[in-house]
């Protein structure tokens, strides 16, 4: 990624409805990567991935150390 246009979204476990609304309204050709951090139980990442994937058209990935960041992708 030559430039680092990113959008960061943070919230608590009660923010999933708001996250769904935000992701549903984003265009498929957004020129930024989205980094999402929510305070949830450790076992909740699978549920969060399912919620985020169903909410919008952008691909959703579970972020890992060293992962390349790409525009148009949501990283949890």
């Amino acid at each position: 990624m030559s430039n680092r246009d990113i959008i960061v979204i943070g919230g608590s476990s009660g923010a999933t409805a708001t996250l769904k609304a935000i992701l549903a309204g984003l265009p498929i050709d957004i020129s930024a990567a989205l980094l999402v951090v929510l305070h949830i139980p450790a076992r909740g990442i699978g549920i969060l991935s399912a919620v985020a994937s169903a909410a919008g058209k952008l691909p959703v990935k579970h972020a890992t150390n060293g992962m390349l960041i790409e525009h148009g992708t949501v990283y949890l």
Side-chain angles (χ1 to χ4, degrees), residues 34-54:
L34 290 95
L35 309 181
V36 177
V37 179
L38 292 182
H39 181 253
I40 58 172
R43 296 181 205 163
I45 192 67
I47 294 168
L48 180 57
S49 294
V51 167
S53 294

Side-chain angles (χ1 to χ4, degrees), residues 34-75:
L34 290 95
L35 309 181
V36 177
V37 179
L38 292 182
H39 181 253
I40 58 172
R43 296 181 205 163
I45 192 67
I47 294 168
L48 180 57
S49 294
V51 167
S53 294
K57 299 172 186 159
L58 299 174
V60 176
K61 296 182 179 179
H62 182 228
T64 58
N65 188 30
M67 175 181 258
L68 293 177
I69 298 172
E70 301 173 356
H71 286 171
T73 302
V74 178
Y75 297 91

Side-chain angles (χ1 to χ4, degrees), residues 16-45:
T16 54
T18 302
L19 176 62
K20 285 172 50 175
I22 291 170
L23 295 179
L26 294 175
I28 191 74
D29 61 348
I30 191 166
S31 61
L34 290 95
L35 309 181
V36 177
V37 179
L38 292 182
H39 181 253
I40 58 172
R43 296 181 205 163
I45 192 67

